[in-house]
Amino acid sequence: SQTIHQWPATLVQPVGSPLSLECTVEGTSNPNLYWYRQAAGRGLQLLFYSVGIGQISSEVPQNLSASRPQDRQFILSSKKLLLSDSGFYLCAWSHDRAADTQYFGPGTRLTVL
Amino acid sequence: AQSVSQHNHHVILSEAASLELGCNYSYGGTVNLFWYVQYPGQHLQLLLKYFSGDPLVKGIKGFEAEFIKSKFSFNLRKPSVQWSDTAEYFCAVNAKGSSASKIIFGSGTRLSIRP
């Protein structure tokens, strides 16, 4: 069966520090991968998605970036965090190119102080 | 660009009451539609989805949703809610075509059920 992992589960970082959140999927190949940010009252904001290694589509221009160095690994990064980057970050995957059911990870709670 | 609107931010009902949560999307082409649910302390999970065919879709735990193309709506319903339905509900849309891999979520509706 497929599983999705995210780490760390929680993170507290100072403003201006770098960020690296990791997401990995097991039990499937060539998944679509997604990064979302969930904020209270604002739902899930799609940040990035990827349909293959090295292929990243950005939905929201900001100081975050994403990379997909391996088929089942998706990384969310920042060189310098802002206070506004605080939030709950969710990774998700779905089968192949046609968007289908998304399976979500447990999320990372990021607090920028 | 596609977007999703959920007009009810917080709904409070008593057990056994009927539920309808609104969802409207904006996109002129063909869409796939989803409802996801997030129970307290749990991962987001799929409740039901519509891809094609019968516009009345049945999901888990007695939920159903009806796709009304003319109204760009995909409202979620349940005839009799239970306390365990307390959760946050998200509507989502995927536009078939060039952005086939992109799924846009609404802002969510928090449902609280009084026992």
Side-chain angles (χ1 to χ4, degrees):
Chain A
S1 63
Q2 301 91 354
T3 54
I4 178 169
H5 304 279
Q6 281 186 249
W7 64 90
T10 59
L11 189 60
V12 180
Q13 291 284 94
V15 170
S17 63
L19 173 74
S20 181
L21 302 182
E22 189 164 343
C23 171
T24 58
V25 180
E26 295 176 356
T28 188
S29 59
N30 196 31
N32 291 345
L33 295 171
Y34 304 81
W35 277 112
Y36 292 90
R37 180 165 55 206
Q38 185 177 15
R42 296 179 62 183
L44 275 72
Q45 181 186 31
L46 178 61
L47 301 176
F48 302 94
Y49 67 96
S50 171
V51 299
I53 296 174
Q55 300 178 60
I56 308 295
S57 296
S58 174
E59 290 299 303
V60 183
Q62 54 196 333
N63 70 319
L64 298 173
S65 62
S67 61
R68 185 171 177 172
Q70 300 180 48
D71 181 44
R72 290 167 288 178
Q73 184 185 31
F74 205 25
I75 297 172
L76 183 69
S77 304
S78 174
K79 291 182 180 178
K80 286 186 177 182
L81 284 168
L82 305 172
L83 285 174
S84 57
D85 291 325
S86 293
F88 191 58
Y89 290 84
L90 285 166
C91 182
W93 73 272
S94 68
H95 289 290
D96 64 50
R97 290 185 173 272
D100 201 328
T101 303
Q102 294 199 310
Y103 299 91
F104 287 84
T108 295
R109 173 74 62 191
L110 171 65
T111 304
V112 182
L113 301 174
Chain B
Q2 51 193 317
S3 66
V4 180
S5 296
Q6 292 182 246
H7 308 295
N8 311 107
H9 297 294
H10 188 193
V11 173
I12 303 173
L13 295 173
S14 298
E15 276 194 313
S18 64
L19 169 72
E20 182 161 2
L21 301 183
C23 172
N24 288 91
Y25 67 92
S26 65
Y27 183 71
T30 307
V31 293
N32 297 324
L33 295 158
F34 307 81
W35 275 97
Y36 283 82
V37 60
Q38 187 171 31
Y39 297 104
Q42 296 187 27
H43 299 191
L44 267 161
Q45 59 185 283
L46 182 72
L47 199 55
L48 49 78
K49 63 184 178 183
Y50 170 81
F51 276 20
S52 64
D54 189 346
L56 184 61
V57 179
K58 295 193 184 297
I60 60 172
K61 303 186 179 185
F63 285 91
E64 65 178 30
E66 184 175 13
F67 171 47
I68 303 180
K69 190 175 181 179
S70 61
K71 295 185 178 180
F72 298 89
S73 70
F74 190 54
N75 291 355
L76 181 70
R77 302 194 293 246
K78 185 170 183 178
S80 176
V81 294
Q82 301 172 308
W83 179 79
S84 58
D85 293 325
T86 295
E88 190 152 17
Y89 294 81
F90 295 91
C91 183
V93 63
N94 158 246
K96 297 181 182 179
S98 60
S99 299
S101 299
K102 189 165 79 171
I103 298 179
I104 302 298
F105 283 78
S107 58
T109 296
R110 185 156 63 97
L111 176 64
S112 299
I113 305 298
R114 291 189 290 246

